[in-house]
Amino acid sequence: MADRLGRHGVWTLAELDGKDFPGVPLAVLGYPVGHSISPQMHNGALAAMADGWPEAREWRYHKLEVPPEALPDALNRLFEKRFRGLNLTIPHKVLALEHVVGIDPVARRMGAVNTLKRLSSGYFGYNTDGYGFERAVREELGIGLKNEVVILLGAGGAARAIAVQCLESGCAELWVGNRSAQRLSTLLEILAHTALDKARLHGFELARPPHDLPNRGLVVNATPLGLRPDDPPPIDISRFDDAARIFDTTYGVHESSLIRSAALRKMRSARGLSMLVWQGARALEIWTERAVPAEVMKREAEVALQ
């Protein structure tokens, strides 16, 4: 099967024809999806869970490359093949909203789903990104979101989930910066429905940070800058006090320029691998309705990145 699926073990829609998936299949859908390390994380956790829950040996997590226009067909075919759970990554998190039979209230406020669970009538949507972010910040940086000042950089899907989570967890202030003024405005309009106190919510252009932007608090990079080793930091870190904490949602075998800059200043920082682990652990909890060994998932993710 490894040869047929290629180097990254990715299924295509065409390869689903005539293929049976015994046991309880799971999958991540994306375009592209070859880089995903979710199968290693989930299959490693399921193997560990089998010691106390033998049924876990029947569960298996796969990768499926699905172009955005093919998502409705993919969901129908995977439902027919009895895939118990699905994770969605770029570009499917928003597209899937129109093709599920129900949406968790938190996911609805975030305007995106990244986790689908099979019901008798179709797939039900959840979003575990915000949960993964909050757990990662607590575990890696030792702080909660309640009463925290958050400076969020970016206005994409991940930023939307993080912003809603910060507001719902009671952050003191939320500052959102983005390069595109139009995209920033759209996100702020969405967030205004979640922010009970509108005075807590601020927007700014990344190219021109305002003079009153706080220099302490939690700085979160939710932009793509950091995916490549030579990417510049999304904001000049020198404007922040040494007491500020830095969380970069990007991850990989290298450290981003933002994380490197924070290390030179001896600022406490963390990268996004822990967020990936915790959102994945929550998804597996939703599907299995059992406790999930997040430490195993983290170990498997670190090995996969090597």
Side-chain angles (χ1 to χ4, degrees):
M1 188 170 74
D3 291 340
R4 182 164 172 261
L5 293 180
R7 182 166 59 90
H8 296 295
V10 179
W11 290 98
T12 65
L13 276 178
E15 289 171 318
L16 292 184
D17 293 333
K19 167 65 182 174
D20 291 326
F21 292 87
V24 182
L26 309 166
V28 57
L29 279 59
Y31 192 77
V33 77
H35 63 282
S36 174
I37 60 174
S38 291
Q40 292 95 317
M41 290 197 319
H42 286 275
N43 289 327
L46 288 165
M49 293 167 68
D51 289 339
W53 181 44
E55 290 89 344
R57 297 187 179 92
E58 303 299 317
W59 292 58
R60 190 69 182 172
Y61 193 104
H62 307 270
K63 279 193 281 196
L64 183 63
E65 188 164 85
V66 178
E69 66 275 9
L71 181 62
D73 180 42
L75 294 180
N76 288 334
R77 293 168 71 176
L78 293 172
F79 181 81
E80 292 173 358
K81 291 182 177 294
R82 307 189 69 80
F83 271 69
R84 179 73 58 87
L86 303 173
N87 279 141
L88 305 175
T89 186
I90 295 173
H92 300 313
K93 293 184 181 183
V94 176
L95 295 174
L97 292 173
E98 299 179 6
H99 306 290
V100 294
V101 296
I103 304 172
D104 177 76
V106 174
R108 187 178 295 280
R109 289 191 289 274
M110 291 177 175
V113 290
N114 76 329
T115 299
L116 305 185
K117 183 176 182 179
R118 190 182 192 277
L119 305 181
S120 60
S121 57
Y123 286 110
F124 190 92
Y126 300 84
N127 193 311
T128 65
D129 282 335
Y131 169 88
F133 167 73
E134 186 163 18
R135 284 298 302 262
V137 167
R138 187 181 304 124
E139 296 285 333
E140 301 289 336
L141 299 178
I143 58 174
L145 298 178
K146 187 175 178 60
N147 298 324
E148 186 64 61
V149 174
V150 181
I151 299 101
L152 175 62
L153 313 177
R160 182 185 298 188
I162 290 170
V164 170
Q165 191 71 32
C166 289
L167 292 171
E168 296 210 339
S169 296
C171 69
E173 294 181 60
L174 176 61
W175 294 72
V176 184
N178 194 55
R179 288 174 292 181
S180 165
Q182 181 176 358
R183 199 168 189 182
L184 174 63
S185 177
T186 299
L187 177 56
L188 291 176
E189 288 179 12
I190 294 171
L191 296 178
H193 298 290
T194 302
L196 298 179
D197 180 4
K198 306 299 189 295
R200 292 191 298 152
L201 184 61
H202 314 271
F204 66 95
E205 292 185 34
L206 268 178
R208 294 188 294 274
H211 70 277
D212 57 343
L213 182 70
N215 65 354
R216 292 194 178 196
L218 174 62
V219 181
V220 183
N221 176 32
T223 76
L225 291 174
L227 293 174
R228 296 185 297 270
D230 57 347
D231 281 344
I235 197 169
D236 183 2
I237 202 172
S238 67
R239 67 179 300 114
F240 297 107
D241 187 272
D242 289 349
R245 289 174 169 83
I246 310 297
F247 189 89
D248 194 336
T249 63
T250 66
Y251 64 90
V253 296
H254 65 273
E255 289 185 334
S256 69
S257 59
L258 185 65
I259 295 294
R260 292 196 301 270
S261 298
L264 291 174
R265 294 269 306 278
K266 294 183 170 53
M267 301 167 75
R268 193 163 180 179
S269 63
R271 59 181 185 158
L273 185 64
S274 52
M275 177 178 169
L276 175 72
V277 169
W278 282 111
Q279 66 80 25
R282 179 63 187 133
L284 195 54
E285 285 180 353
I286 289 172
W287 298 327
T288 64
E289 299 180 356
R290 291 177 175 269
V292 172
E295 69 282 357
V296 173
M297 299 184 81
K298 185 173 184 179
R299 184 175 67 244
E300 293 292 336
E302 291 172 341
V303 170
L305 285 179
Q306 299 305 315

